[in-house]
Amino acid sequence: TKEIDLLHLTPDSNVEVLVNQLAFEEPLISESRKPHLRRLLLKLMKQLEHSDSDDFYLFKILRAHILPLTNCAFNKQGNKFITGSYDRTCKIWCTDTGEELLTLEGHRNVVYAIAFNNPWGNKVITGSFDKTCKIWNAQNGDLLHTYRGHATEIVCLSFNPHGSMVATGSMDNTARLWDVESGECVHSLLGHTAEIVSLCFDTSGRTIIT
C-alpha cells in the first residue's frame, strides 16, 4: 500500500482537478480506477463539511408514523430508539440503518409518553391518552402488563434506576408507582391541585419529584 497526502483537501476542492493530479502523480491510478477515486474524495469532502466544532449534523430522516410524533427516546447504548405518535402506536427503530424493528400496538388513543428501562433496554413503557400505561418486551414486542388506574390521560412516566418500578403522571392531578413484575399499583401520590406533566426519580430510586 502507499499513502497519498490529502492534507490540503477541503470541502471546496475541485474533485476533477484533484483526481487528474493524483492520477498524474501516481502511475498506479489507472483510468479505470478514477471513478472509484472520485467517489472516495467526495465522501471525504462530505465528512470535512462537519468541522470539529460542529458536533451535530443531519444523519437521517425517517417517515416514522402516519400521524405526528409525540415523543422519542434512545436506549442506553444508542443503537435503538423509540417513537410515540398520535397514530396510537410506539415504534422501535435501529439507529444505524433507520430500519423499523417493531411496532407496539394496543393503545386506544394517543401514545404520549415513552421510555426504555435503561441501562438494560429490554423493556419499553408507553403512556397514553387512553388512561393506561403498557409495558412491552423490547426484543419481540410482547405486551407484558397494562397498568390501569388513572382517571384521565397519562402524560409523563419514568422507570426507577433499578428498573423495578415505573412512575406515571396524569392529567388527573395524581402520580402512581407500579411494580414492573406484578403490574400492581403500589402507591398513589396525591396532593397536587393540577395536572402532573413531569416527574423524575433521583439516582437512588428512593425519592421522586413531580
Side-chain angles (χ1 to χ4, degrees), residues 7 34 43 47 53 59 72 77 85 112 152 159 186 209:
L7 294 177
K34 282 186 176 181
K43 186 175 182 180
Q47 291 175 349
S53 61
F59 176 65
C72 54
Q77 293 74 29
S85 171
Y112 192 79
T152 55
F159 280 98
V186 293
I209 189 167

Side-chain angles (χ1 to χ4, degrees), residues 88 106-111 128-130 132 134 148:
R88 306 181 182 185
H107 282 292
R108 297 183 177 182
N109 209 325
V110 176
V111 174
S128 172
F129 285 5
D130 67 7
T132 71
K134 295 181 183 288
R148 293 183 173 88

Side-chain angles (χ1 to χ4, degrees), residues 24-210:
F24 176 76
E25 296 173 353
E26 302 294 336
L28 292 176
I29 302 177
S30 63
E31 193 68 28
S32 63
R33 292 181 178 271
K34 282 186 176 181
H36 180 62
L37 176 60
R38 188 178 294 106
R39 288 194 296 271
L40 289 176
L41 290 172
L42 287 171
K43 186 175 182 180
L44 287 171
M45 290 166 62
K46 185 175 181 181
Q47 291 175 349
L48 288 171
E49 288 178 357
H50 312 296
S51 66
D52 293 339
S53 61
D54 183 9
D55 296 329
F56 299 97
Y57 62 94
L58 180 62
F59 176 65
K60 199 178 293 289
I61 296 176
L62 303 178
R63 305 304 176 191
H65 294 264
I66 60 174
L67 292 176
L69 274 65
T70 54
N71 263 304
C72 54
F74 276 111
N75 66 352
K76 180 68 173 180
Q77 293 74 29
N79 62 342
K80 293 180 181 179
F81 65 95
I82 49 178
T83 54
S85 171
Y86 277 83
D87 67 10
R88 306 181 182 185
T89 70
C90 174
K91 295 188 177 188
I92 302 178
W93 306 83
C94 173
T95 302
D96 289 336
T97 65
E99 176 189 2
E100 179 185 322
L101 302 176
L102 293 167
T103 298
L104 310 179
E105 298 180 282
H107 282 292
R108 297 183 177 182
N109 209 325
V110 176
V111 174
Y112 192 79
I114 54 178
F116 277 104
N117 65 331
N118 290 327
W120 302 278
N122 61 348
K123 293 183 177 69
V124 168
I125 194 85
T126 56
S128 172
F129 285 5
D130 67 7
K131 311 173 191 176
T132 71
C133 191
K134 295 181 183 288
I135 188 165
W136 313 79
N137 183 316
Q139 310 303 319
N140 57 25
D142 285 350
L143 177 62
L144 303 177
H145 291 292
T146 297
Y147 305 155
R148 293 183 173 88
H150 282 292
T152 55
E153 299 94 333
I154 294 172
V155 293
C156 57
L157 48 76
S158 177
F159 280 98
N160 71 347
H162 315 295
S164 58
M165 296 186 71
V166 166
T168 55
S170 171
M171 303 295 278
D172 65 8
N173 306 353
T174 72
R176 290 175 178 254
L177 298 179
W178 311 84
D179 182 271
V180 167
E181 292 303 321
S182 69
E184 298 295 320
C185 179
V186 293
H187 292 292
S188 292
L189 309 180
L190 310 176
H192 282 291
T193 57
E195 301 86 349
I196 296 178
V197 297
S198 180
L199 50 76
C200 185
F201 284 97
D202 71 353
T203 54
S204 71
R206 292 192 295 268
T207 304
I208 184 170
I209 189 167
T210 56

